[in-house]
Amino acid sequence: MKITDYIGAQARIGAEQSQKAGWRKLLVGAAALARKNPAELVSMVSKLAQTEAFENERLDGWTDLDEIDSETPQKFDVCDLRIWIKLAEEADVAAVPAKEVARLSHDELEVLLGRVQLPKKLRETITKGLKEGLEAGNTASGSDAELGKAVFDRFDAAKEEAEELQINAAETFAKMESALDEVPSDWMVRTHLAGSNNLKALVGCGLMTRGDVTAKVQENFEIGGGWVRAGNRRLIDFSDPRFLETGIGGHKPFVSYLARPWAPAGRFHEAEDLHRANTPIAGRGVWPAEWRVFVRAGQVTGVANYYGWTGDGATAENAWNAVEAAAAAQDIVDLAEHKNLAGAYMNQDFIRNGGRDKETIEILDRDWPEDRMHCTLDFLESDKGLVFLEAGPGHMPGGGGHPCAFAGQGVAEGGRSIIADCEGVAYLAMPHVHLGEPKTWHHGETEGCIDSWEDAVVLARNHATFTPRAERFLERLGLSFEAECGMEP
């Protein structure tokens, strides 16, 4: 078996097993809680209902691609690639294109996946636990038991809901199967929110440098970038674990599937793969040169090597590309803010409105105001120059974008937070930082790993002259070449 086949299969199996294990843990835990303390189970169900109501209310206020109105302040899903590509195009920033080839409502997706039914044995256990708890006087009133029944009543209604939706599963499946008939086989498929689990696994391990690399799981079945092939026909992988994980959490109730051409990298970084270290398949890999740009309150603060364990560190070429990526990102963000847009991320909405973590709320209100743009934007050094890939939430208190090579910058060892400063240019993670172990994410020696903007600019000038876009960005930072170097550019 090829290593790509092995890793692709293991990534898929591992993700699916994790999902199933999490579901089993949730249900078994509910059963145990029903036996021990039904009142607490009732409270949990009530809180879940409140959370769902809050989320739906917030989502109703988020604008969609065709609803953007520059005259009024609006929020949009900061993970929505469709909107980001539109902004990049309007800002005259080169981007890897994407076209919608299919769309599923959550109802259609649930019909395809099969409605989840609460196992009969587990239902009986929960029912028994609630009954025994009530008889023992463990709940305040009989009305609590009625609310607790929602744990399984919701599943009872599943079949009726599916019938009421009048969704033809065969027709919906055919829509997903025919969506790729005109799409080249070396294109990848992703949702408007995330790339596929297989793509993430193979690229992350430095094993996918072309769009036609696949993982052959068994004879006549292989997994590609967001699609599966059974026999000779490709099907959008609507059951991909990462597609499902991102699709169900804090986003509009639909999933848009986008086909994108594979953008060949213009440069690669080589290194030992930290994901495979200390395993029988340990070894070196190659990763495309990519840069993550960090934005706080509408201003680019830093740029990091996306694969922070790879590359040659502080070189003139790396510095030049980092500054150019920052400048392109700034133009996109400036256009978004000119249009009165702010990226929304449900995790932060919950924190700001939950009222429990007062310290985090104060930090968010002070440094991350709701009406400004906070995000990360990713760029690839393609064979045609820098191109915009995708964007997502900022690296913020309460969760968001990964800090990449900035991990640990400015973080106190043993502190309550691992949120890095993300300021300047990070070429490599600091020597003591292991990107797979957040406990190592604290400040340390930065030499050769992280530069200030001033040092990065001086270094970059040894590679090439900056574009006018980058010169405008540096002026905004207050960095003129003459002032820093005492010589003409």
Side-chain angles (χ1 to χ4, degrees):
M1 174 180 280
K2 294 189 301 183
I3 191 170
T4 51
D5 296 342
Y6 176 80
I7 290 180
Q10 290 302 312
R12 182 58 175 258
I13 293 170
E16 290 182 349
Q17 286 180 339
S18 177
Q19 285 183 334
K20 292 175 182 176
W23 182 240
R24 285 196 300 270
K25 185 176 180 181
L26 175 66
L27 292 180
V28 172
L33 191 59
R35 292 192 299 270
K36 181 179 179 181
N37 189 348
E40 188 173 343
L41 176 61
V42 167
S43 176
M44 287 174 58
V45 173
S46 178
K47 288 175 182 176
L48 285 173
Q50 292 171 10
T51 298
E52 183 178 16
F54 169 83
E55 183 176 292
N56 289 337
E57 179 184 357
R58 303 297 284 191
L59 290 175
D60 285 343
W62 293 5
T63 191
D64 203 356
L65 178 64
D66 56 355
E67 300 171 343
I68 295 176
D69 173 13
S70 299
E71 302 301 318
T72 56
Q74 291 179 305
K75 287 188 174 185
F76 73 96
D77 190 332
V78 75
C79 297
D80 194 334
L81 179 63
R82 303 169 308 144
I83 293 178
W84 281 112
I85 287 181
K86 179 178 177 62
L87 291 171
E89 291 172 346
E90 292 187 22
D92 197 27
V93 172
V96 179
K99 66 175 183 178
E100 184 175 275
V101 292
R103 178 183 291 210
L104 292 179
S105 68
H106 281 185
D107 290 330
E108 290 177 309
L109 182 58
E110 287 180 19
V111 167
L112 283 186
L113 294 172
R115 295 284 179 140
V116 179
Q117 298 290 327
L118 192 65
K120 180 179 179 181
K121 186 173 182 61
L122 195 54
R123 176 196 168 106
E124 291 173 350
T125 303
I126 292 178
T127 304
K128 181 180 179 182
L130 284 171
K131 181 179 179 181
E132 291 176 350
L134 283 172
E135 291 174 351
N138 290 341
T139 55
S141 67
S143 62
D144 286 341
E146 291 300 314
L147 182 57
K149 283 176 78 279
V151 174
F152 46 80
D153 282 350
R154 187 165 184 168
F155 293 91
D156 275 351
K159 185 176 180 180
E160 294 177 15
E161 289 175 7
E163 292 172 352
E164 290 174 5
L165 290 170
Q166 296 183 332
I167 294 174
N168 187 307
E171 290 179 2
T172 305
F173 183 86
K175 177 170 69 172
M176 302 302 283
E177 190 177 37
S178 62
L180 302 181
D181 286 350
E182 304 301 322
V183 175
S185 61
D186 61 347
W187 283 33
M188 51 89 73
V189 179
R190 55 163 289 159
T191 71
H192 65 303
L193 304 171
S196 71
N197 186 68
N198 187 58
L199 182 72
K200 195 78 172 176
L202 292 181
V203 173
C205 289
L207 297 171
M208 191 168 186
T209 58
R210 307 187 320 273
D212 57 358
V213 174
T214 64
K216 190 173 183 179
V217 178
Q218 59 187 28
E219 194 65 32
N220 294 321
F221 184 78
E222 58 185 325
I223 305 173
W227 51 265
V228 296
R229 191 198 311 270
N232 295 320
R233 198 164 196 195
R234 288 177 301 149
L235 168 74
I236 292 178
D237 192 3
F238 57 82
S239 65
D240 177 88
R242 197 158 183 264
F243 285 174
L244 297 179
E245 181 182 344
T246 54
I248 62 175
H251 306 285
K252 294 274 191 178
F254 68 87
V255 179
S256 171
Y257 298 89
L258 309 175
R260 304 182 88 182
W262 186 267
R267 192 162 66 105
F268 290 92
H269 293 153
E270 185 176 348
E272 287 290 323
D273 179 28
L274 61 82
H275 301 93
R276 291 180 278 146
N278 303 316
T279 73
I281 57 172
R284 298 182 70 79
V286 290
W287 290 262
E290 292 183 26
W291 300 94
R292 168 158 287 185
V293 182
F294 296 82
V295 176
R296 181 169 66 240
Q299 175 63 50
V300 169
T301 64
V303 188
N305 176 6
Y306 188 90
Y307 303 104
W309 66 96
T310 72
D312 301 322
T315 68
E317 187 172 15
N318 282 339
W320 189 88
N321 279 286
V323 173
E324 290 287 341
Q330 189 65 68
D331 277 2
I332 296 174
V333 170
D334 285 347
L335 175 66
E337 291 213 316
H338 178 73
K339 289 177 172 288
N340 282 315
L341 289 172
Y345 187 54
M346 191 61 72
N347 281 27
Q348 263 71 45
D349 274 6
F350 277 128
I351 291 172
R352 290 180 193 273
N353 294 275
R356 293 183 179 181
D357 190 342
K358 299 295 184 183
E359 183 178 343
T360 299
I361 293 173
E362 288 177 5
I363 294 172
L364 288 172
D365 289 344
R366 183 186 69 234
D367 300 329
W368 309 82
E370 273 194 278
D371 61 343
R372 299 300 304 277
M373 185 67 78
H374 319 294
C375 52
T376 54
L377 296 93
D378 298 339
F379 291 81
L380 166 73
E381 291 184 36
S382 80
D383 58 356
K384 296 181 175 59
L386 275 171
V387 291
F388 169 70
L389 282 178
E390 61 182 349
H395 178 62
M396 302 167 61
H402 194 285
C404 299
F406 275 122
Q409 186 196 40
V411 176
E413 186 172 3
R416 71 186 292 267
S417 173
I418 58 171
I419 301 301
D421 293 339
C422 299
E423 295 177 355
V425 177
Y427 312 100
L428 287 170
M430 291 177 282
H432 67 279
V433 169
H434 188 295
L435 290 173
E437 299 178 4
K439 65 182 180 182
T440 68
W441 295 8
H442 56 80
H443 202 69
E445 178 56 55
T446 62
E447 185 175 356
C449 299
I450 303 175
D451 269 348
S452 66
W453 281 112
E454 292 84 351
D455 290 341
V457 170
V458 172
L459 181 59
R461 288 288 188 177
N462 294 319
H463 176 69
T465 301
F466 284 127
T467 62
R469 166 177 276 144
E471 293 288 4
R472 291 195 305 271
F473 172 70
L474 294 177
E475 288 177 9
R476 179 171 180 159
L477 293 181
L479 299 175
S480 68
F481 184 66
E482 294 82 357
E484 291 301 320
C485 304
M487 56 189 295
E488 293 298 318

